[in-house]
């Protein structure tokens, strides 16, 4: 084997090694992206669960507000009538 053939063989081996290294680096990056996307999906699911919890609290607060308004309305109507006619007033 002459020197030119040996150098050509070394160049071919170097290119094959370079392609193998590049392929493994790209595959590693793909794994990192997959892990990042998986983490993002888990985070999004967690955020959705928290938002649903806030919506439940909002619905409960809305119901409590409506109940309080109804109670105030009933109290106002009750106080409009003079239910204490038998008790003396301050003027008596």
């Amino acid at each position: 084997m002459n020197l030119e053939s040996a150098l050509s063989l070394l160049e071919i081996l170097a290119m094959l090694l370079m392609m193998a290294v590049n392929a493994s680096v790209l595959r590693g990056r793909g794994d990192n992206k997959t892990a990042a996307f998986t983490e993002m999906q888990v985070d999004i699911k967690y955020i959705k669960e928290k938002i649903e919890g806030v919506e439940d609290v909002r619905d409960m607060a809305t119901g409590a507000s409506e109940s309080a308004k109804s109670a105030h309305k009933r109290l106002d109507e009750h106080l409009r009538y003079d239910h204490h006619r038998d008790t003396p007033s301050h003027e008596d």
Side-chain angles (χ1 to χ4, degrees), residues 1-68:
M1 184 183 254
N2 62 15
L3 184 61
E4 289 180 19
S5 298
L7 288 176
S8 294
L9 184 61
L10 283 174
E11 285 179 0
I12 292 171
L13 288 174
M15 287 193 321
L16 289 174
L17 180 63
M18 179 185 64
M19 290 182 353
V21 168
N22 283 338
S24 66
V25 167
L26 291 175
R27 186 176 305 142
R29 287 184 185 169
D31 291 342
N32 290 340
K33 287 181 182 180
T34 301
F37 287 136
T38 302
E39 184 178 350
M40 286 173 52
Q41 287 176 338
V42 169
D43 290 344
I44 290 170
K45 183 178 178 182
Y46 176 79
I47 291 168
K48 283 181 179 181
E49 289 172 356
K50 292 301 176 185
I51 288 173
E52 288 171 358
V54 169
E55 289 174 353
D56 292 341
V57 170
R58 185 186 64 204
D59 293 341
M60 288 173 32
T62 301
S65 176
E66 290 172 0
S67 177

Side-chain angles (χ1 to χ4, degrees), residues 72-83 85:
H72 282 285
K73 183 178 177 183
R74 288 193 309 269
L75 282 171
D76 289 343
E77 289 173 359
H78 179 73
L79 293 175
R80 255 189 251 153
Y81 298 112
D82 186 12
H83 291 287
R85 292 183 187 180

